[in-house]
Amino acid sequence: MTGRPASFFAPLPYLVAFVATPLAILAGKLLDKDALFYRYGPHGFAPWLALAGLALLASLWASGAARTRIKRPLWPVFATALGLSLLAWGLSRVLLLALPQAESYAPLLDELRLPALIGFAVLWSGSFGAPGRESLARAGAVLGALMVLDFLLTAILARGLVPGGGYFFGGAPGTEDALAFLLCLALCATVDDAPVPGVPRLARWLILAGLLVSASRAGLASGALLCLFFERGPLRGRLTMALACAVAIWLSLVLPLQHMATGEELGLDWYYSATAQAMKQEPRALATGLQLDSPVALAMPELQGVTWDADSEGQPVSVYQIPASLLRLFAGWGVGGPLLVLGAALYCALRGRRRFGFGLLAVLTLCGALAPVLHIPATAAALALALFSAAQRPQTVADSGQASPEKDPGQDEPSQAPA
């Protein structure tokens, strides 16, 4: 599978997902504006709408340039641009007025996040090409360095170890899982090629350092899996890193000041059992999914300072509240939902770089079963672009006309010894 060559702008979504959205969390905390987090952070759609508009403009520009070369009129391009602009303006006006009055459609629109983000990744790859795995590894290195700084600064201020940090990026629910998932995607980009002996791999170490201080159990488990089974090199080194991730998981469970402001504690096992029970009561939902506007089950979580009455029916829990993406896809769309996502990832792994692609598939399976990573715009878009990159076979001698092996993004250039 050969894709369009990546342009200068191709890595821009990685810069947004790995650097801009985490910094939006910091800006929201410093300015005391939650809107910055919800609109421009990992959970916000605003950056991806802007990037989609940029990709559309690039496609129209390329179409206009192609028509100019073959001396055809440009009015169809201008008409298309004007039509799309009017459509976007009209939809924004209509949705802003209609959505508050159509609450019944909110669950469906929420479940359409993933298809919309996949569509964005297709549009971006078609306009600029799929970003290379080198860009993914470098973006992960920057995020890893930011998370280490967050951890160190929080430890200094708290005068003790605080898993996951929190001064920069803490406080928002699910943020640690989202950032750790991004680091796992970047770690997959460093396991594709055999490392050169004796050459430092700065990007890989920064990614692993950020992952170790993330306190995300799903991310740390995925990191241990990647180090143990997907990386190459001596078994002792790979086993050491896997054990380090296991120790970090243990520390996140036993150290204080972790999850200080949690509300309800249902537990992931409750969501799995409740979904299975709902499927048993409605077998047709295995194919079509449960009703999005009806609660999956009624729960009585242990809330601090709240005592439930014996006659209380409990708190309704809907599909959109399920905190694991693959389980949420199963509940909302039936068996076909998670199978379609995993099958697409498997197809990309088989078609292109298998070690890179199968690493992404393993991270998707493990993190998707434990965290809402497919329903967060930054992580879903980054995953889709990484899979498109993994689906492209590396250039061979026959394709490129010269024997130039691809550089491992986690490695530095070896120094040349003086003659």
Side-chain angles (χ1 to χ4, degrees):
M1 177 179 179
T2 59
R4 176 177 176 173
S7 68
F8 174 79
F9 292 99
L12 188 57
Y14 287 155
L15 180 64
V16 170
F18 285 77
V19 182
T21 57
L23 291 180
I25 302 175
L26 174 61
K29 295 183 67 174
L30 295 179
L31 299 177
D32 197 20
K33 292 184 178 180
D34 294 337
L36 288 175
F37 167 74
Y38 289 111
R39 293 180 183 176
Y40 303 102
H43 295 75
F45 256 102
W48 309 103
L49 290 175
L51 290 177
L54 178 62
L56 281 175
L57 289 177
S59 297
L60 292 173
W61 180 271
S63 178
R67 295 182 71 88
T68 301
R69 285 194 300 268
I70 59 178
K71 297 181 179 180
R72 288 191 176 183
L74 293 178
W75 67 264
V77 178
F78 289 111
T80 302
L82 180 60
L84 290 175
S85 300
L86 292 175
L87 179 63
W89 178 81
L91 285 176
S92 63
R93 299 289 296 179
V94 170
L95 291 177
L96 286 176
L97 294 175
L99 284 181
Q101 303 175 1
E103 296 181 359
S104 59
Y105 290 98
L108 176 60
L109 293 176
D110 198 53
E111 292 305 310
L112 292 179
R113 283 186 177 189
L114 181 58
L117 291 166
I118 294 175
F120 159 77
V122 172
L123 174 63
W124 187 268
S125 299
S127 301
F128 298 107
R133 64 188 184 90
E134 299 88 353
S135 303
L136 178 57
R138 291 167 186 152
V142 175
L143 178 58
L146 290 174
M147 294 188 68
V148 171
L149 288 176
D150 183 25
F151 174 79
L152 293 176
L153 183 58
T154 306
I156 292 173
L157 295 177
R159 297 183 179 180
L161 294 180
V162 182
Y167 188 80
F168 285 171
F169 309 131
T175 302
E176 66 275 5
D177 288 328
L179 298 181
F181 180 76
L182 291 174
L183 289 175
C184 288
L185 297 183
L187 185 60
C188 291
T190 67
V191 303
D192 194 35
D193 294 334
V196 178
V199 177
R201 306 176 67 195
L202 180 59
R204 172 183 178 270
W205 289 114
L206 286 175
I207 293 168
L208 285 172
L211 193 60
L212 287 174
V213 301
S214 67
S216 169
R217 296 158 199 171
L220 287 167
S222 299
L225 182 67
L226 291 173
C227 291
L228 193 58
F229 296 105
F230 289 89
E231 285 196 339
R232 294 176 178 175
L235 178 61
R236 179 181 299 177
R238 294 185 284 122
L239 185 59
T240 300
M241 286 309 306
L243 289 176
C245 291
V247 171
I249 294 175
W250 176 75
L251 290 176
S252 71
L253 293 171
V254 300
L255 284 181
L257 300 179
Q258 177 67 9
H259 304 295
M260 291 180 290
T262 54
E264 57 182 82
E265 296 290 346
L266 290 175
L268 194 58
D269 55 344
W270 183 91
Y271 288 97
Y272 273 95
S273 61
T275 303
Q277 185 66 27
M279 288 292 182
K280 288 181 181 179
Q281 296 176 359
E282 192 176 350
R284 185 182 301 177
L286 289 172
T288 62
L290 299 169
Q291 294 184 8
L292 299 178
D293 56 351
S294 299
V296 176
L298 298 175
M300 292 187 179
E302 296 180 1
L303 301 177
Q304 295 180 357
V306 176
T307 303
W308 291 91
D309 297 332
D311 298 333
S312 176
E313 295 182 355
Q315 178 183 354
V317 176
S318 300
V319 171
Y320 70 90
Q321 295 174 299
I322 296 177
S325 282
L326 292 180
L327 179 63
R328 179 172 167 178
L329 286 175
F330 172 63
W333 302 97
V335 179
L339 287 182
L340 183 62
V341 172
L342 295 175
L346 178 62
Y347 172 80
C348 293
L350 291 174
R351 292 286 297 180
R353 300 179 175 92
R354 297 201 170 188
R355 189 173 289 266
F356 180 22
F358 278 107
L360 292 174
L361 177 60
V363 171
L364 167 61
T365 304
L366 187 53
C367 289
L370 300 175
V373 292
L374 294 179
H375 293 84
I376 297 175
T379 54
L383 172 64
L385 290 171
L387 287 172
F388 289 165
S389 177
Q392 296 182 358
R393 296 193 181 107
Q395 269 194 331
T396 60
V397 177
D399 295 331
S400 61
Q402 58 183 355
S404 56
E406 187 180 11
K407 176 188 172 184
D408 192 327
Q411 299 174 358
D412 298 334
E413 291 286 352
S415 59
Q416 299 290 336

